[in-house]
Every structure is written in structure tokens, then in C-alpha cells.
Amino acid sequence: MKNILLIGLGRFGRHMAQQFYTMGHEVMAVDRQEERVNQVLSFVTDAQIGDSTDGAFLTSLGVGNYDLCVVAIGDSFENSLVTTSLLKELGAGRVIARASRGIQERLLLRNGADEVVYPEKQLARWTAIRYSSDHILEYWALDQGYAVYELDVPAAWLGQAVAQLDLRKKYGLNILGIRYAGQLEMEVRPQTILEAGASVLVLGPEALIRKCFDI
């Protein structure tokens, strides 16, 4: 469990607060607008109405005591930038900030953000890949060009054992799991037979996955 300071309670910030709550973390939520603060009271540990560009206000929150500070301000990049910079000046250990454009990402990283999330860009990429083929059921991007895809089993593979396909040797790919009738089986053995209606979770370089599955 982590102690998290979440600043900015628009739609993005509110969804983050709900997710942190579901995961069992303690969240201090902050926003200028009382209405937004009231909307999250049922699923945060504490909440404050205040101006995060005010150094005295941030100091009163004890930002150095949080495991993670998230700047989710979406309606004013200036406020987001100032808040991010102040958090670092006041001793915040790890600061994650939201950006909506590439230039914002660069400025935030130069002014105190340890990492930047770019929701619109990240969601656009996921959506484009997820729906570019009827055979792609899910997609998770990893570092250095690697990804995990959940894909329908190609017709040519049906009735074959995992060992027969030899994906690791031929393509450098690994089958992490197989889903049958909505149930995910993570113990994939060489003798496991691929059946109609199944999907596979495949890990490897994206370019090779797309080539192997012709997507």
C-alpha cells in the first residue's frame, strides 16, 4: 500500500482516484474546486480544497511524506508545470505529471517530473492497434519495442501442440497463456493442443508478432 498525493480531480484525476482506491492505496486528493473534491470523498483517504501553485499550501500537505505525487491537472498547463516544479522543490520523492502534447511532456520532464503520462496519445495508440485487426483481442505495450498481444489462434495452428509450432525458435516469441471459453490458463506446456475458439497471449517484439500472425 502506498500513500499518494493526487492533484487535479477532473475526469482523469477522478478515475485515477477510483483506481487507487480499488487497489487499496491511501490517497490525499486536492483540487481548487469544491465540487470536484466532494465527488471523490467516498473513495479517498482525505481531501483538500486548495491552490497547488501556492507553495505554502503544498508545504502544509507535507509532500515529502508521500510515496507518489501525481499531477493530473488538465485544464491549465501553466498550473500543472508550476505544481510539478514546486513539488520537487519541496522534497517530493517521485512525481508523475500529465501531458496532452509533446512539448508539454518535454517541459514537465525538465521541470521536476520523474515521469509523464500522455493519456490521449497512449489511448490513441492502444485503440489503433487493438482495432486494426479483428484477430487482436487485447494489447499491452512494453519497453524497447516489445508487447503482449492476445490473439485468435490462426486456423492453420488448430489441432497442433505448442511444441510443434516452435514459436520461440522461429520467431523469438513466447506463448504466456491460452484462453478457452473466457478462462485464462497460464500453465502452457509443450504438449498443450490449440483448439478452436481459443486465443493466445503472446510476448515478443511487436514487429515479429505482427509478422507471425499476419496482422
Side-chain angles (χ1 to χ4, degrees):
M1 180 182 70
K2 290 187 176 183
N3 292 316
I4 299 169
L5 174 61
L6 175 61
I7 301 174
L9 299 173
R11 284 177 294 181
F12 179 67
R14 188 164 62 251
H15 286 308
M16 288 199 71
Q18 290 175 316
Q19 187 61 46
F20 284 140
Y21 172 78
T22 300
M23 297 169 69
H25 298 301
E26 294 189 352
V27 178
M28 163 65 83
V30 173
D31 198 279
R32 289 184 174 192
Q33 298 183 29
E34 181 178 0
E35 180 182 357
R36 289 181 173 180
V37 172
N38 289 337
Q39 289 174 345
V40 303
L41 289 176
S42 62
F43 47 85
V44 297
T45 310
D46 200 356
Q48 293 270 356
I49 303 167
D51 180 1
S52 62
T53 65
D54 182 340
F57 172 70
L58 283 185
T59 299
S60 72
L61 298 176
V63 299
N65 297 321
Y66 292 94
D67 300 305
L68 174 66
C69 296
V70 179
V71 182
I73 299 170
D75 53 3
S76 171
F77 178 66
E78 180 181 354
N79 289 348
S80 178
L81 190 62
V82 171
T83 299
T84 299
S85 181
L86 284 173
L87 285 170
K88 271 302 180 181
E89 288 179 13
L90 294 171
R94 187 180 181 206
V95 178
I96 309 299
R98 175 190 180 181
S100 58
R101 289 187 294 168
I103 184 63
Q104 293 181 0
E105 182 177 5
R106 293 192 292 273
L107 288 170
L108 287 165
L109 288 170
R110 291 174 187 169
N111 286 275
D114 295 293
E115 294 182 47
V116 173
V117 292
Y118 197 157
E120 291 84 0
K121 180 180 179 181
Q122 291 159 343
L123 180 58
R125 173 177 169 78
W126 180 89
T127 302
I129 291 173
R130 167 64 179 82
Y131 295 103
S132 63
S133 169
D134 293 337
H135 300 293
I136 300 175
L137 305 177
E138 187 55 276
Y139 164 79
W140 299 270
L142 304 176
D143 289 337
Q144 299 177 335
Y146 282 76
V148 175
Y149 279 73
E150 181 174 358
L151 298 146
D152 288 325
V153 175
W157 295 9
L158 296 178
Q160 296 192 55
V162 170
Q164 289 178 273
L165 300 174
D166 203 11
L167 296 184
R168 184 177 298 177
K169 182 177 180 179
K170 292 179 180 177
Y171 295 97
L173 306 180
N174 292 283
I175 296 181
L176 303 180
I178 302 175
R179 193 187 304 275
Y180 294 102
Q183 298 298 315
L184 181 61
E185 176 57 63
M186 296 298 291
E187 288 191 30
V188 181
R189 298 179 175 86
Q191 64 269 27
T192 299
I193 302 297
L194 298 175
E195 301 174 0
S199 60
V200 290
L201 270 69
V202 181
L203 166 66
E206 285 197 59
L208 294 180
I209 292 175
R210 300 185 74 86
K211 179 180 179 181
C212 179
F213 285 81
D214 193 25
I215 54 175

